Amino acid sequence: MRVGGPWVRCYGNFRLSGEPLHDVTRLAMMCGPSNGMRRLSMEAVTGVVGQGRSEVSAPLSLHRGSCYRVFAVADRGIGDLDVVIRSSRGVAIATDAGEDAWPIVQPDRPFCALDDDEATLEFSARKGTGRFAAEVWALESGSAR
């Protein structure tokens, strides 16, 4: 799978509007279809996170050979939204690398599942408090670019 290129170029002109649900859909539409991905669920993961508060979690079924991207966007009250994907054993298998309000897990490429697993998405804020929305997109096995 190629790293960088279209995986990074797709979000170069993205700007926040302050509405997490609208923004995450727009970000995902900029980067998902152009890279051969499809939305995994019709409903976004939403919640409220804050510095010093417990993380918000959601289940994520991973399938061997499939690759994934998690797009998340926070409102203006959050300075750094963090996303971690944990395996069923509690091991972090993918994270976002930046300190921003709209993280993409592994922004230069999707992460791929080595085995079927019932993973967990964890969302937390290092700076600030507010709402967030996230979408998970998948690239089916055999179609990795």
Side-chain angles (χ1 to χ4, degrees):
M1 179 171 309
R2 297 175 72 183
V3 174
W7 298 108
V8 174
R9 214 174 12 253
C10 65
Y11 59 83
N13 294 320
F14 179 74
R15 300 292 176 262
L16 294 172
S17 75
E19 288 297 323
L21 195 54
H22 170 77
D23 286 343
V24 77
T25 298
R26 192 166 41 88
L27 176 60
M29 292 303 292
M30 290 169 72
C31 291
S34 65
N35 284 300
M37 303 190 92
R38 65 173 180 79
R39 184 180 288 138
L40 209 57
S41 171
M42 292 312 293
E43 289 193 31
V45 176
T46 59
V48 175
V49 292
Q51 186 175 352
R53 295 172 70 171
S54 297
E55 72 269 345
V56 172
S57 62
L60 175 61
S61 294
L62 301 178
H63 302 283
R64 180 183 180 166
S66 292
C67 299
Y68 304 88
R69 278 190 115 178
V70 178
F71 302 97
V73 177
D75 67 20
R76 292 187 174 118
I78 297 176
D80 182 11
L81 178 64
D82 287 334
V83 183
V84 176
I85 293 94
R86 293 196 186 277
S87 72
S88 58
R89 294 183 174 166
V91 176
I93 56 176
T95 64
D96 75 282
E99 291 186 20
D100 55 25
W102 53 279
I104 299 172
V105 175
Q106 291 188 195
D108 61 346
R109 67 189 181 285
F111 69 95
C112 300
L114 300 176
D115 291 303
D116 290 347
D117 194 14
E118 294 304 316
T120 303
L121 286 166
E122 293 179 356
F123 302 91
S124 61
R126 266 186 220 219
K127 297 176 187 172
T129 300
R131 297 173 301 135
F132 77 90
E135 290 186 9
V136 179
W137 284 62
L139 184 67
E140 295 302 317
S141 60
S143 60
R145 294 178 172 206

